[in-house]
Amino acid sequence: MPEPRAGSAGNDRPAGRGPAGRGGRKSVWRRAGSPAQPPADGPAEAERPAEPASVVEAALYRDGVRVSSPASLADTFRALREQPAGMAWIGLARPTDGELHSLAAEFDLHPLAVEDAIKAHQRPKLERYGETLFVVLRAALYLDAPEEVDFGELHVFVGPDFVITVRHGAAPDLTAVRRRMEATPELLRLGPEAVLYAILDAVVDGYAPVVAGVQNDIDEIETEVFRGDPEASRRIYELSREMVEFQRATRPLGGMLRALTAGFAKYGTDEELQRYLRDVADHVTHTSERVDTFRQALSEILTVNATLVTQQQNAEMRALAEAGFEQNEEIKKISSWAAILFAPTLVGTVYGMNFDDMPELGWSFGYPFALAAMGLVCVGLYVIFKRRDWL
């Protein structure tokens, strides 16, 4: 990423903090002329719960530089009160209800946003609750071994002096985002809005390996389809379902970024940050177009596969029919010869009964008559079967 131009963060504000207003510094997301909320008394430090395991990392920043790394949420709250121009960045992974309600009480988060963050399984969206932005993102991670896409969910609360990330899933790697921002203090100095940009950029950049992996899968599936692999249909179906999920993750981002762009002038967004957000919007558009292309390609591949399977089934049915016809022809021949041979057998059986009272036994022409009868019957049957193409 190119080195951003340092912007004015406007960090002057009074030391007193309430859960809503948090001082007089004007956030670029803050609605012009919005009234400051009166401070509310929070629970005593001794009454706060012990640090939950879901807190991945919490840090306090001032002028783009980390000034402290509190060990607990309580320490983070206290350190932020002691830093009039500071910004807290708290990262959570699958937090409990109690942890989110503790953050909601401290930072005056809207109950509806907190409920969404608790339940998860939300579609990407951007909503404003007073001075706080609530952003839901769907990150994607391509798994090489099983050749499938794993989707994670990320909820981001962006306020005048805080950023809270609630992660449900392995992606994205927000530790890398934090290190990147700390390595560019001139960008981090722009405040919570810059952190939101970095998170959006990380999520969108994470789509690139997924797009490459899916493209490779589609190439493999095409080879399997024309090779007649019976597993091709299953892979097409599974990948199509993943692309539907991928489309649900990427399509709303365009509208979200357009909404942010529309508020640039209204909320005084830094010009350099505007450029970076427009760059993210371009990447989102490119990714969305690729996903649409993938869905169309999979649909066409599925049609081709169905056609090839039908052709293969027709060929197999034709082969079975030909085999049955040949078998019938053999049965006709066998049956014909069996009938021909049955005639002399019948005559011979009659004369082989050896009864005393058989008038033909004393007849001098009986033997040649029997042979002639057997021959005539055999020749007659042969002619009949030959005319019917049984022989």
Side-chain angles (χ1 to χ4, degrees):
M1 184 186 70
E3 291 296 328
R5 177 177 59 82
S8 173
N11 290 328
D12 296 334
R13 63 177 180 181
R17 295 177 63 251
R22 286 181 167 73
R25 182 172 61 86
K26 189 175 184 65
S27 169
V28 295
W29 302 119
R30 179 176 299 182
R31 185 180 299 276
S34 59
Q37 299 294 326
D41 296 332
E45 296 294 340
E47 297 175 354
R48 295 186 183 277
E51 174 67 6
S54 62
V55 178
V56 178
E57 189 172 4
L60 194 67
Y61 300 89
R62 183 185 178 95
D63 291 332
V65 178
R66 183 190 288 229
V67 295
S68 65
S69 301
S72 67
L73 288 178
D75 293 340
T76 304
F77 300 154
R78 183 171 54 253
L80 187 57
R81 294 192 189 99
E82 295 171 355
Q83 290 286 338
M87 179 191 72
W89 184 352
I90 302 172
L92 305 175
R94 298 184 180 90
T96 63
D97 295 5
E99 296 160 8
L100 281 177
H101 286 308
S102 174
L103 288 168
E106 177 67 24
F107 295 105
D108 193 29
L109 304 181
H110 197 278
L112 292 177
V114 175
E115 182 181 359
D116 288 345
I118 292 174
K119 293 182 177 180
H121 303 292
Q122 304 294 319
R123 298 194 67 178
K125 62 181 179 180
L126 182 148
E127 295 181 353
R128 178 179 297 279
Y129 297 99
E131 297 180 334
T132 303
L133 272 180
F134 176 60
V135 182
V136 178
L137 301 172
R138 297 296 305 277
L141 180 65
Y142 186 80
L143 305 178
D144 291 322
E147 294 186 335
E148 61 184 26
V149 182
D150 180 44
F151 294 94
E153 190 168 335
L154 180 65
H155 301 251
V156 186
F157 296 90
V158 181
D161 56 359
F162 67 88
V163 177
I164 301 171
T165 59
V166 181
R167 196 178 69 203
H168 297 272
D173 183 8
L174 294 182
T175 301
V177 176
R178 190 185 292 266
R179 299 294 174 264
R180 169 196 171 191
M181 293 297 291
E182 291 178 351
T184 53
E186 62 274 16
L187 180 60
L188 187 56
R189 189 180 295 119
L190 298 178
E193 300 79 18
V195 176
L196 176 60
Y197 148 73
I199 294 173
L200 285 168
D201 189 50
V203 170
V204 174
D205 284 349
Y207 294 150
V210 177
V211 169
V214 171
Q215 180 64 67
N216 183 67
D217 288 346
I218 291 177
D219 293 339
E220 292 179 356
I221 288 174
E222 288 178 344
T223 302
E224 293 175 358
V225 166
F226 289 103
R227 193 173 55 199
D229 193 329
E231 293 294 319
S233 298
R234 180 186 59 82
R235 288 196 66 187
I236 295 172
Y237 174 73
E238 292 177 350
L239 191 57
S240 296
R241 292 190 61 183
E242 291 178 353
M243 289 303 96
V244 171
E245 192 71 18
F246 200 9
Q247 195 173 53
R248 290 175 180 172
T250 57
R251 179 167 290 180
L253 290 179
M256 293 166 56
L257 289 168
R258 284 192 295 271
L260 287 175
T261 303
F264 282 166
K266 183 175 182 179
Y267 298 107
T269 305
D270 183 85
E271 291 183 4
E272 192 70 5
L273 194 56
Q274 293 181 30
R275 298 189 184 97
Y276 286 127
L277 286 172
R278 281 193 290 266
D279 180 67
V280 174
D282 291 340
H283 291 171
V284 168
T285 301
H286 176 72
T287 301
S288 297
E289 291 175 350
R290 292 296 302 276
V291 174
D292 291 341
T293 302
F294 289 156
R295 288 202 63 186
Q296 182 178 358
L298 287 170
S299 178
E300 294 174 353
I301 292 174
L302 186 60
T303 302
V304 171
N305 182 67
T307 302
L308 293 176
V309 169
T310 302
Q311 291 177 350
Q312 182 179 1
Q313 292 176 344
N314 291 339
E316 293 174 354
M317 293 296 295
R318 185 166 54 252
L320 289 174
E322 292 175 353
F325 177 77
E326 293 176 358
Q327 187 176 12
N328 290 337
E329 293 298 315
E330 295 296 326
I331 292 175
K332 288 179 181 180
K333 293 179 181 179
I334 294 173
S335 301
S336 300
W337 285 114
I340 293 172
L341 295 177
F342 177 73
T345 302
L346 178 62
V347 175
T349 302
V350 171
Y351 281 93
M353 291 187 290
N354 297 323
F355 289 110
D356 292 335
D357 233 354
M358 293 184 70
E360 294 86 357
L361 294 178
W363 186 32
S364 59
F365 293 102
Y367 181 69
F369 177 79
L371 293 177
M374 287 187 286
L376 289 173
V377 171
C378 291
V379 171
L381 291 175
Y382 180 83
V383 171
I384 292 173
F385 292 141
K386 192 69 174 178
R387 288 180 176 179
R388 294 185 177 181
D389 293 329
W390 283 33
L391 292 174

